[in-house]
Amino acid sequence: MDPLQLCIPVSDRSQIGEVRRAISRMAETLALAPSRRGDAAIVATELATNLVRHARDGRMLLQVISHGASGWLELLSVDGGPGMTDVQRCLQDGFSTVGTPGNGLGAVKRQSDEFDVHSTPGKGTVIVSRIATSTAPSNVFTVGAVCLPFPGEEVCGDTWRSVEREQEIAVMVADGLGHGPEAAVAARLAGGAFEDEPFATPEQFYQLAHRSLKGSRGAALARAIIARSGDVQYSGIGNIAASLVSSERSRGLASENGTVGVQIRSHVSAYAHVMPAPGVLLMHSDGITSRWSFDPYPGLLLRHPAVIAGVLSRDFVRGRDDATMLVVSRSRKGEGPV
């Protein structure tokens, strides 16, 4: 399934209703039970109202996530400040400074199957709420992503995918050359090639993708396969950036020159790494600067991958291209206290 992320700026009350209606439409397409649709509406209202009343540069990112045996309706609230000085107080049941029906972030947390938040005074807050489409076994890995089009475009020339099976996960990020509809076609073709053979050898995978993208603009493409043990096989063609990040260091992962669908080498090298614990694999397109850092965000590394993607894409997006950031961890939830 092609992940489609809807971004709604939220700065006045009329946009609260827009967010609620958008999430209701998504809930209907997923055939959520009526009670869960009501939960989604409460979450949407609370998060959007908080943005109107308290935040600057607020936006809601809405998408459907399908991963392993699980599926979620995801609401990601992102703002540029002022941030919360006491997150724990804001999460207390019944605490609300805006008088909304669900009584604040405590209600959001209660209605969510997955919930996490990171807030830095002066920089802003990112909150993720996921509502499960069905009861499913826990996955070994957790994936979060932000995928946004070039400003003014209606389609995104980037895409990402993830497929998990019992002992491992495969993830990919593709960046169609340029932006707009033709770039989106190239990215979608790369996503389809990944879905056909997510765990193929590097040679098989990139040759399949190369054939699939012939006649298109072409794309930069990178794939990682992560075993339950933490062993990572990484390969890439073009300018998709990737790093393994722990509290001690960040290690960049190498890609080869070329453009999938236009010109690639007959042999594509794969590099072996080990995923740190705790730590994350981070992959992003060149719409996000490579000068990101976790240093200004205490505790961010232990947060939910969707929150990490939200924070870093907010603060390090270039604004001159499509922008995608994918984050993978081996823990299902943020390991630090919320």
Side-chain angles (χ1 to χ4, degrees), residues 29-43:
T29 63
L30 290 173
L32 283 180
S35 62
R36 299 303 279 150
R37 295 183 194 182
D39 294 340
I42 290 173
V43 170

Side-chain angles (χ1 to χ4, degrees), residues 248-303:
E248 288 78 29
R249 62 177 297 187
S250 173
R251 173 184 294 177
L253 309 184
S255 292
E256 299 183 359
N257 293 328
T259 302
V260 179
V262 178
Q263 184 176 9
I264 65 172
R265 297 177 180 178
S266 58
H267 174 78
V268 179
S269 298
Y271 300 92
H273 305 274
V274 177
M275 191 173 190
V280 299
L281 168 68
L282 192 153
M283 301 168 64
H284 64 86
S285 66
D286 64 353
I288 295 173
T289 175
S290 59
R291 295 183 178 180
W292 54 264
S293 171
F294 281 75
D295 293 342
Y297 314 100
L300 179 61
L301 184 64
L302 297 180
R303 301 268 56 91

Side-chain angles (χ1 to χ4, degrees), residues 111-254:
Q111 308 303 328
S112 304
D113 294 292
E114 291 191 11
F115 174 88
D116 204 5
V117 56
H118 186 274
S119 190
T120 306
K123 290 185 177 294
T125 301
V126 174
I127 303 167
V128 65
S129 168
R130 285 182 173 178
I131 297 173
T133 57
S134 61
T135 302
S138 295
N139 300 310
V140 175
F141 302 92
T142 306
V143 177
V146 168
C147 186
L148 300 173
F150 178 85
E153 292 285 1
E154 295 185 358
V155 294
C156 186
D158 293 352
T159 195
W160 65 276
R161 299 286 194 280
S162 71
V163 174
E164 183 173 349
R165 58 189 186 186
E166 185 176 355
Q167 296 298 324
E168 56 191 348
I169 186 173
V171 295
M172 64 81 74
V173 173
D175 178 359
L177 265 60
H179 54 82
E182 291 186 25
V185 168
R188 197 175 303 118
L189 290 170
F194 175 83
E195 291 172 346
D196 288 341
E197 294 288 348
F199 295 97
T201 66
E203 290 81 3
Q204 292 171 333
F205 171 65
Y206 286 100
Q207 288 299 326
L208 170 62
H210 188 58
R211 292 192 300 271
S212 298
L213 270 70
K214 283 287 189 181
S216 74
R217 281 189 176 182
L221 175 61
R223 183 192 67 169
I225 297 176
I226 311 170
R228 192 184 190 105
S229 63
D231 292 336
V232 178
Q233 179 199 81
Y234 180 82
S235 55
I237 297 175
N239 56 358
I240 302 298
S243 298
L244 289 168
V245 186
S246 70
S247 57
E248 288 78 29
R249 62 177 297 187
S250 173
R251 173 184 294 177
L253 309 184

